[in-house]
Amino acid sequence: MKQLFDDVSFKCSKLVTKSYSTSFSLAVKMLAPSIREDIYNIYGFVRFADEIVDSFHGYQKEQLIQDFETDYYKALASGISLNPILNAFQITVKKNNISDDLVQAFLKSMKMDLVKSKYNTKAEYDDYIYGSADVVGLMCLKVFVQGNQEKYDALKDEAMRLGSAFQKVNFLRDLKDDNLVLNRNYFPGVDLRSFDDEAKKAIIAEIDEDFKAAREGIKKLPLEAKFGVFTAYVYYKKLLNKLERTPSHKIGTSRIRVSNYSKAGLLAQSFVTYKLRLV
């Protein structure tokens, strides 16, 4: 039965999520069961594409990402793929009417990582973030609103701002690896070789503005999604606060993390705030 294979595919996407991101997995667990599966499926797809361009050194990355894209569209057309991640994702795309422009924008940014190492203008920076993060937020929003186009349109801008905030925090946290391992610099006008507190403060101020706008959107989310998204928001705000307290030279030489103990505390904090209806 195809359903059995689909179930296995869904479990593979969930396994990918749990294996690659404990923090995101925690947030997904806080979503209503009715929407968790689709979010796992989205994460599995975007994580595999990201791994191709970031981690598969020594392999033909250009061919791998092209094959990944080609196989996805074959799956979308036929309704099945023997790649369980693609099989699960195409089901979620059809079920939630995720438009192809979102998928294309995401794949465009992934391909940019193969050929572009420095973003010199804000326009280039914004374009990359839109494709690598904003559209992922919009894919998830499609799931959250469950077909309600009016709600989707009303929350679209805030979903994009939250995606931008998450991605910029990731850029700041991963400064060391992006610079020393992948030879990338996403921040226009910032010299990573002399990264200082002034540059850090400017980046953090920009992220804070994104978070402020995004929080208003979280308040308007359907109940099925609100607590899970707020949990992710609280985690990234904690990570940003930790980065703010970390000397700029240390950010450039080490990867800042939030401990599992702290994550448990953040979950409790999120739950209390949610129950008090402060969000």
Side-chain angles (χ1 to χ4, degrees):
M1 288 178 63
K2 172 68 159 51
Q3 185 58 53
L4 179 58
F5 177 64
D6 289 345
D7 289 342
V8 170
S9 298
F10 300 151
K11 288 176 182 176
C12 286
S13 293
K14 181 178 180 179
L15 178 61
V16 168
T17 308
K18 292 176 68 175
S19 298
Y20 278 97
S21 179
T22 56
S23 54
F24 189 77
S25 289
L26 181 64
V28 176
K29 286 180 182 178
M30 301 305 112
L31 299 171
S34 60
I35 60 175
R36 281 181 209 159
E37 197 169 78
D38 286 319
I39 301 303
Y40 284 133
N41 294 345
I42 291 170
Y43 183 88
F45 176 80
V46 301
R47 170 50 62 185
F48 268 26
D50 192 58
E51 284 302 301
I52 290 172
V53 300
D54 279 359
S55 302
F56 296 170
H57 312 306
Y59 297 91
Q60 296 296 319
K61 294 182 180 182
E62 293 85 354
Q63 190 61 53
L64 286 173
I65 195 69
Q66 186 57 56
D67 289 346
F68 189 72
E69 179 177 0
T70 299
D71 289 347
Y72 162 66
Y73 282 107
K74 286 181 180 178
L76 193 65
S78 64
I80 191 171
S81 172
L82 293 182
N83 178 331
I85 300 303
L86 295 180
N87 185 59
F89 182 61
Q90 62 89 18
I91 292 172
T92 287
V93 166
K94 291 175 180 175
K95 175 183 173 184
N96 296 281
N97 295 315
I98 294 173
S99 58
D100 192 54
D101 64 296
L102 301 181
V103 178
Q104 275 297 301
F106 171 73
L107 291 171
K108 176 187 172 185
S109 283
M110 294 301 98
K111 292 173 187 175
M112 286 171 67
D113 277 335
L114 297 177
V115 297
K116 192 172 180 63
S117 60
K118 190 174 182 180
Y119 291 77
N120 297 305
T121 68
K122 189 175 186 302
E124 291 177 342
Y125 172 66
D126 290 343
D127 185 51
Y128 179 84
I129 288 177
Y130 172 76
S132 65
D134 294 4
V135 298
V136 179
L138 293 177
M139 290 181 201
C140 292
L141 182 59
K142 280 282 188 178
V143 175
F144 297 156
V145 301
Q146 297 181 295
N148 188 319
Q149 188 63 37
E150 186 177 347
K151 284 185 180 179
Y152 177 81
D153 291 337
L155 293 168
K156 182 177 178 181
D157 289 344
E158 288 93 342
M160 291 169 62
R161 294 294 291 273
L162 188 62
S164 290
F166 287 173
Q167 182 68 299
K168 292 169 187 176
V169 171
N170 287 337
F171 286 164
L172 194 56
R173 178 196 62 188
D174 296 337
L175 209 62
K176 171 179 172 286
D177 285 344
D178 283 342
N179 184 30
L180 300 179
V181 179
L182 299 173
N183 192 33
R184 292 184 196 146
N185 180 6
Y186 293 106
F187 297 116
V190 175
D191 186 350
L192 298 185
R193 293 168 300 180
S194 56
F195 187 69
D196 56 20
D197 286 340
E198 184 178 349
K200 187 186 77 169
K201 286 178 183 177
I203 292 167
I204 288 174
E206 180 182 323
I207 298 171
D208 273 331
E209 287 301 311
D210 286 330
F211 272 131
K212 286 176 185 176
R215 186 175 176 115
E216 294 306 307
I218 295 172
K219 294 177 182 178
K220 304 171 192 172
L221 282 171
L223 287 175
E224 292 86 353
K226 187 181 292 187
F227 184 42
V229 176
F230 183 62
T231 299
Y233 167 89
V234 169
Y235 165 75
Y236 271 91
K237 281 285 287 182
K238 174 70 174 180
L239 183 55
L240 182 63
N241 291 339
K242 193 167 184 178
L243 287 163
E244 188 172 15
R245 296 192 303 269
T246 302
S248 55
H249 68 86
K250 190 173 181 181
I251 292 176
T253 57
S254 59
R255 194 173 192 264
I256 307 304
R257 301 176 183 274
V258 175
S259 69
N260 289 335
Y261 177 80
S262 294
K263 288 177 186 176
L266 290 174
L267 179 58
Q269 174 191 335
S270 302
F271 183 73
V272 171
T273 303
Y274 177 75
K275 282 299 183 180
L276 291 175
R277 298 189 178 182
L278 298 177
V279 66

